Each structure stands twice: as C-alpha cells, then as structure tokens.
C-alpha cells in the first residue's frame, strides 16, 4: 500500500494534536503543512471545502476531515500497531460518546469564557469546570480512560492539556484544585513520548490566544 500522508494543521490546534498523537502512536511517516487560518490556503479550501478548517489528513490524495474521524481512520488504516479504538462494542460506543461530548461542549464554552464579562463570564467558568468534573468522574480510579491502556478518549482529551493554562488564566481558577484526578491523568499521559512530543507549550498557546483576541476584537 502506498502511503503518501500529509497533515494540514496549525500548531496550537488541540484538534490537530489528536492526529499528530495518533500518527506518532502508529509510527506513521507524514508531511506536516502548517496552515494560516487568517489567510486560508487554496489547498485547505480544496480539500475541506465544507468546513474550511484544520486538521485535514490527506492520504494518497484523498482527504479526511474532522479530528475524531481522522484518529479512527488512522487506527483502521495502520492496524498493525497499537490499537486505538476499543475492540469491545460497548466500550467503543462509550468512548465515541464522550469524545462527542468534549467536542460539543468545549467548542462553545471556551470562546464564551474568553469573550464574556461579569455574570456571563462566571456562568461560563462554572460550566467549563462542571464539564471537566464530569470527565474526571468517568475516569474514576483508572489509569487511563481505556483502563490500563492509553486509547481513543485519552488521545482526544489530552490535547486540551496544552490549553489548560489558558483556561485557568481566563477563568481565574486552578485545574489542580478543581480537578486533581484529571491533572494526575494528564501527567501520566505526558509520560508517553508520543504525547509529550506532539503537544505544544501551554505558555505559547496562552500568548497566541491573547494576541488572536486582540487582533480580532481589540481586547
């Protein structure tokens, strides 16, 4: 099988980091193409004409969009090493449910948190912390969301670790105090080279967000 693999991504994207971790776990070689989301390339618009966003995986000339779908595609194509998706149907369904929960909840909440003030800001902060605590609850006493094994839900959540510092600063709370088990889980994940080498520095992400909001809204 030919394997021309290209990843269109932008460095601070927690969604793009999912694809980077999955490819690293599989030991897959690929070409990384950084995208400027303020001035989208013709290639990005061509391969993702519906949503016009990253990440996009291009495999042998065919594009796959949406990060959770990309991770599942990677697992199915490079199926000879490190299974990512649970083999048990129930566990697989549960993992997909919680990945969808993450994508549905956080997309709206973090933007509101950064841009809101006063009572609305406090409401958004409480909602974000509540969502994080729900994810902490389902982790329970397990080492990883996959039990003893780092897997699909772990990959799709750990990329937010690079953004926790930003959440803390804009929300005026501390992750260690609010979600200690979640932070302990994150540190276990970071012991994996595939994770630590795929995630980006949390301070750089914070600086990026501050500048992006200033550019977009003058705040």
């Amino acid at each position: 099988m030919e394997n021309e693999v290209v990843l269109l991504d932008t460095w601070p994207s927690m969604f793009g980091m999912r694809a980077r971790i999955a490819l690293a776990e599989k030991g897959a070689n690929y070409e990384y193409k950084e995208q400027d989301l303020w001035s989208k390339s013709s290639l990005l618009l061509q391969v993702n004409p519906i949503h016009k966003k990253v990440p996009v995986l291009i495999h042998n000339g065919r594009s796959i969009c949406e990060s959770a779908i990309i991770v599942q595609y990677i697992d199915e194509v490079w199926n000879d090493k490190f299974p990512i998706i649970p083999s048990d149907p129930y566990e697989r369904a549960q993992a997909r449910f919680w990945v969808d929960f993450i994508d549905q909840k956080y997309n709206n909440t973090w933007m509101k948190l950064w841009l809101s003030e006063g009572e609305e800001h406090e409401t958004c902060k409480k909602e974000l912390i509540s969502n994080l605590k729900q994810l902490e609850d389902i982790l329970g006493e397990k080492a990883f969301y996959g039990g003893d094994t780092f897997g699909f839900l772990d990959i799709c959540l750990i990329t937010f670790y690079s953004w926790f510092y930003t959440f803390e600063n804009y929300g005026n709370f501390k992750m260690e105090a609010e979600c200690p088990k979640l932070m302990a889980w994150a540190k276990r994940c970071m012991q994996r080279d595939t994770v630590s080498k795929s995630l980006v520095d949390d301070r750089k992400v914070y600086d990026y967000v501050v500048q992006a909001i200033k550019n977009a809204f003058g705040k």
Side-chain angles (χ1 to χ4, degrees), residues 69-113:
I69 295 172
I70 289 171
V71 172
Q72 293 174 80
Y73 178 86
I74 290 168
D75 191 46
E76 292 175 5
V77 172
W78 287 270
N79 57 12
D80 59 339
K81 182 180 180 181
F82 189 77
I84 292 172
I85 307 300
S87 58
D88 178 79
Y90 177 78
E91 294 299 328
R92 187 161 61 245
Q94 288 299 300
R96 286 172 171 160
F97 172 86
W98 286 107
V99 169
D100 183 67
F101 171 87
I102 293 166
D103 291 350
Q104 296 292 332
K105 291 290 186 180
Y106 289 99
N107 270 333
N108 293 324
T109 306
W110 73 60
M111 286 300 295
K112 290 178 183 176
L113 183 71

Side-chain angles (χ1 to χ4, degrees), residues 92-184:
R92 187 161 61 245
Q94 288 299 300
R96 286 172 171 160
F97 172 86
W98 286 107
V99 169
D100 183 67
F101 171 87
I102 293 166
D103 291 350
Q104 296 292 332
K105 291 290 186 180
Y106 289 99
N107 270 333
N108 293 324
T109 306
W110 73 60
M111 286 300 295
K112 290 178 183 176
L113 183 71
W114 298 338
L115 300 176
S116 62
E117 296 177 349
E119 186 176 335
E120 183 185 4
H121 182 270
E122 191 64 22
T123 299
C124 291
K125 168 187 168 179
K126 289 178 180 177
E127 182 180 348
L128 176 62
I129 293 171
S130 174
N131 292 338
L132 291 166
K133 286 183 178 294
Q134 282 184 283
L135 290 165
E136 188 175 57
D137 287 344
I138 66 162
L139 176 64
E141 301 302 321
K142 302 190 295 290
F144 299 104
Y145 284 96
D148 295 329
T149 306
F150 180 80
F152 182 47
L153 181 49
D154 299 286
I155 288 174
C156 290
L157 180 58
I158 189 53
T159 56
F160 287 82
Y161 187 65
S162 291
W163 288 73
F164 282 176
Y165 179 74
T166 301
F167 292 169
E168 289 178 325
N169 276 272
Y170 276 89
N172 192 27
F173 69 93
K174 292 296 181 184
M175 287 291 301
E176 287 281 3
E178 296 289 349
C179 302
K181 287 184 180 180
L182 195 63
M183 291 301 290

Side-chain angles (χ1 to χ4, degrees), residues 4 37 79 172 205 218:
E4 282 186 31
L37 299 187
N79 57 12
N172 192 27
V205 170

Side-chain angles (χ1 to χ4, degrees), residues 39-53:
S39 179
K40 296 179 181 180
S41 70
S42 57
L43 176 59
L44 176 59
L45 297 176
Q46 175 188 340
V47 297
N48 192 358
I50 305 301
H51 296 302
K52 304 177 179 63
K53 63 183 182 179

